[in-house]
Amino acid sequence: MHNVVIIGSGPAGLTAAIYTARANLAPLMIEGSQAGGQLTLTTDVENFPGFPQGIMGPQLIQDMRAQAERFGTTFQTADVTKVDLGRRPFTVTINEEETIQAQSLIISTGASANLLGLDSESRLLGHGVSTCATCDGFFFRGQPIVVIGGGDSAMEEATFLTKFASHVTIVHRRDKLRASKIMQDKAMKNDKISFHWNAMVEEVMGDDVVTGLRLRDVVTHDTATLDCKGVFVAIGHTPNTQLFRGQLDTDANGYIQTSHGTATNVPGVFAAGDVQDPHYRQAITAAGTGCMAAMDAERFLEAEG
Ligand code: NAP
């Protein structure tokens, strides 16, 4: 029987582990097969406070994990395949066979940025391909950038990236944007942004770093190349909440709904990080809500005696 089981090992889960471990709750963290989450897919992190020279994403995660371990967090590398939140203690099934009982749960399974699914895209992720303009825009000062997508995220990222880029081209697969009118107008009025309509990305070009894109026109089927140094894929995120469907309240896009801090609709179950945050999606905000979830879980356990 565990006081606290934390599912997910990005900055939210690891911060929750540091706090619950220091509160003598001996947390168990289930790391999942992609341990460390999205930070392990990035290179330099320059906006996490405390690192004036920046820090590599995987190193930041490794340090947070060591800190959580130092105070007594136990780690188990396994995939959670089922949870039963119907009664306490909660039951967590891992690898379809072993079950774990928990008095409280912190869910920090994150969200995954949707990708196009090209081999060249995954090979150059962190080497010119990015899914986070706030994190990586700064690296492309004075360079041409492409943003892929036609939703609010694409408009927002493109507008933000004009602070750094020599020019931003939005590549969209249709000739109409999905984004809200106000965000469209803002992007269209920006003279550093242009649009490339009806185009699908066939390949991200470059050996070690991005040099451009090969695009196919979906109407004429012609191919063309577009030179750029950075490619920001902004085609939506998917919260990792499949395990909790039907047990926890989510919004229309699947993000776990929280209230009064990090409480979910099930008393004793708390959610932190991107799994409950469609807006900010930063390592530092994830860490902040991880701290909140740990304190909420501690108070819950205290109140329950
Ligand atoms: P989204 O609204 O789902 O838009 C995704 C865009 O990516 C769509 O234009 C879609 O094209 C395109 N796309 C999807 N899969 C693709 C693929 N395989 N290849 C090429 N293009 C692809 O996602 P989002 O922009 O991340 O927004 C998510 C939610 O957050 C929305 O509700 C949005 O309003 C909200 N949001 C709000 C703000 C704000 O208000 N400041 C900022 C960001 C996001 P199609 O249009 O052809 O489907």
Side-chain angles (χ1 to χ4, degrees):
M1 174 68 71
H2 296 272
N3 295 314
V4 187
V5 170
I6 301 166
I7 307 177
S9 55
L14 289 168
T15 305
I18 292 166
Y19 272 76
T20 48
R22 291 189 79 253
N24 281 338
L25 292 172
L28 169 68
M29 168 170 281
I30 309 190
E31 293 193 286
S33 41
Q34 164 99 54
Q38 293 185 71
L39 271 185
T40 60
L41 304 175
T42 71
T43 49
D44 269 324
V45 178
E46 291 189 331
N47 54 7
F48 199 93
F51 301 94
Q53 303 308 320
I55 182 166
M56 297 300 272
Q59 185 65 50
L60 180 58
I61 283 294
Q62 207 176 306
D63 290 349
M64 285 186 191
R65 192 184 186 282
Q67 195 173 351
E69 196 166 28
R70 177 178 153 216
F71 295 112
T73 305
T74 307
F75 293 88
Q76 186 154 356
T77 308
D79 279 325
V80 174
T81 47
K82 199 171 147 202
V83 292
D84 181 358
L85 309 180
R87 75 182 105 86
R88 273 185 58 227
F90 306 117
T91 305
V92 176
T93 307
I94 55 174
N95 294 344
E96 312 234 355
E97 45 194 33
E98 192 184 334
T99 58
I100 291 170
Q101 306 285 304
Q103 291 292 358
S104 69
L105 270 186
I106 295 175
I107 297 169
S108 48
T109 46
S112 305
N114 298 340
L115 290 168
L116 299 167
L118 304 168
D119 289 344
S120 52
E121 171 193 47
S122 43
R123 183 170 51 78
L124 291 165
L125 198 62
H127 301 277
V129 177
S130 170
T131 55
C132 177
T134 313
C135 319
D136 298 330
F138 190 73
F139 300 120
F140 300 97
R141 268 164 299 166
Q143 315 269 16
I145 291 178
V146 168
V147 173
I148 298 162
D152 280 336
S153 293
M155 299 309 113
E156 190 171 68
E157 303 233 320
T159 306
F160 172 77
L161 287 165
T162 57
K163 285 199 225 170
F164 312 104
S166 56
H167 188 79
V168 178
T169 308
I170 296 176
V171 171
H172 184 37
R173 63 183 176 182
R174 295 188 289 145
D175 63 357
K176 280 197 181 58
L177 296 171
R178 177 178 296 276
S180 55
K181 185 83 175 64
I182 189 164
M183 306 277 280
Q184 292 192 26
D185 286 352
K186 208 169 165 193
M188 283 178 175
K189 280 189 191 137
N190 191 320
D191 55 16
K192 276 177 102 179
I193 297 178
S194 60
F195 290 82
H196 194 119
W197 303 105
N198 294 319
M200 293 289 285
V201 180
E202 278 199 340
E203 193 189 349
V204 183
M205 298 183 314
D207 293 330
D208 302 325
V209 292
V210 169
T211 56
L213 293 177
R214 193 173 72 240
L215 301 175
R216 181 171 295 277
D217 189 301
V218 295
V219 180
T220 64
H221 303 293
D222 292 342
T223 56
T225 53
L226 178 59
D227 291 343
C228 62
K229 294 285 192 245
V231 178
F232 287 80
V233 183
I235 61 172
H237 282 74
T238 304
N240 301 318
T241 50
Q242 300 82 334
L243 271 177
F244 314 105
R245 293 264 157 84
Q247 303 192 68
L248 292 181
D249 290 346
T250 59
D251 70 8
N253 295 317
Y255 288 88
I256 295 176
Q257 288 186 315
T258 52
S259 60
H260 303 103
T262 62
T264 68
N265 58 304
V266 176
V269 179
F270 304 90
D274 288 12
V275 74
Q276 51 85 59
D277 170 20
H279 299 294
Y280 301 103
R281 300 196 282 244
Q282 300 300 300
I284 189 67
T285 51
T289 54
C291 160
M292 289 161 63
M295 294 174 77
D296 290 343
E298 189 185 350
R299 280 195 199 117
F300 169 81
L301 292 170
E302 245 169 47
E304 293 286 306

